[in-house]
Amino acid sequence: GNSVTQMEGPVTLSEEAFLTINCTYTATGYPSLFWYVQYPGEGLQLLLKATKADDKGSNKGFEATYRKETTSFHLEKGSVQVSDSAVYFCALSAGSNYQLIWGAGTKLIIKP
Amino acid sequence: DGGITQSPKYLFRKEGQNVTLSCEQNLNHDAMYWYRQDPGQGLRLIYYSQIVNDFQKGDIAEGYSVSREKKESFPLTVTSAQKNPTAFYLCASSEHPGLLNEKLFFGSGTQLSVL
């Protein structure tokens, strides 16, 4: 079946460090891939998405490339800020009803 | 501003009690969803509705019930049959249900705890 696996957190970095949060998936067909972000005490917001192989989604300095050969959609940012501290969820949309399949989330902590 | 409003922010349930979580949207979206979030886990779908007066069970519907009498409202009732209700509940909506790359809009959630 369809599934999403994210790296376990928390991930703790210093401000201005390079960020990678790994996400791999298993899916039949050609899923769409998403990263959502959840700031403390809030709901989730869409951060970026990619709908086909080799697409790159980007937003607010974050990027992720849809790699079909490695079934991955890793989230990257070149220089993180304290305000990026949040929980990041990778998700895919596939199957007959296109319901989202969610990863477990990765908590990111950025220290000044 | 358009958005999704969930209330209350915090809710406490006694043994054997049913409680109802409110979700209202003014985005004019057709589809609405209820998710449960437990610490260290991804979101799990409880119920979803793609149109007024229709709704479908998600992966963990047991012990929950919903209604969709109005397009803007999708309340969730946590019944006494749900033995482990403590969790963070998120309501979401989308404009075009059934599209592969559809974006979800989320409310700010309700934390339900058992007394």
Side-chain angles (χ1 to χ4, degrees), chain A residues 30-32 34 36 38 41-46 49 51 87 89 93-95 97-105, chain B residues 9 33 35 37-38 40-45 48 50 59 88 90 98-109:
Chain A
Y30 302 92
S32 289
F34 305 83
Y36 279 80
Q38 183 179 32
E42 297 183 11
L44 281 70
Q45 306 171 25
L46 178 65
K49 68 179 182 183
T51 58
V87 180
F89 290 90
S93 173
N97 61 0
Y98 298 152
Q99 292 299 332
L100 285 174
I101 308 298
W102 297 88
Chain B
K9 194 169 179 66
Y33 310 81
Y35 287 95
Q37 184 180 17
D38 293 281
Q41 297 189 33
L43 278 65
R44 291 185 289 169
L45 184 64
Y48 66 100
Q50 295 186 329
D59 300 320
F88 191 56
L90 287 162
L99 289 185
L100 185 60
N101 56 2
E102 184 69 352
K103 173 182 175 180
L104 291 184
F105 293 78
F106 283 85
S108 56

Side-chain angles (χ1 to χ4, degrees), chain B residues 21-76:
Chain B
L21 285 61
S22 171
C23 178
E24 303 279 331
Q25 55 102 355
N26 60 5
L27 299 168
N28 200 34
H29 285 174
D30 286 323
M32 298 186 74
Y33 310 81
W34 274 106
Y35 287 95
R36 171 175 171 145
Q37 184 180 17
D38 293 281
Q41 297 189 33
L43 278 65
R44 291 185 289 169
L45 184 64
I46 304 172
Y47 270 98
Y48 66 100
S49 168
Q50 295 186 329
I51 196 168
V52 174
N53 292 322
D54 187 47
F55 49 82
Q56 307 295 328
K57 292 182 178 180
D59 300 320
I60 56 164
E62 186 174 350
Y64 300 96
S65 66
V66 294
S67 63
R68 187 85 187 277
E69 297 176 0
K70 297 186 295 182
K71 188 175 185 178
E72 59 269 26
S73 179
F74 192 41
L76 173 73

Side-chain angles (χ1 to χ4, degrees), chain A residues 5-11 21-22 104-107, chain B residues 40:
Chain A
T5 302
Q6 288 182 238
M7 63 188 295
E8 281 193 34
V11 173
I21 299 178
N22 290 338
T106 302
K107 185 173 184 178

Side-chain angles (χ1 to χ4, degrees), chain A residues 61-83:
Chain A
F62 291 89
E63 294 182 340
T65 301
Y66 187 161
R67 302 283 189 201
K68 193 164 178 64
E69 64 276 13
T70 55
T71 61
S72 65
F73 193 54
H74 304 322
L75 183 68
E76 297 181 334
K77 187 175 185 183
S79 176
V80 292
Q81 306 300 314
V82 172
S83 58

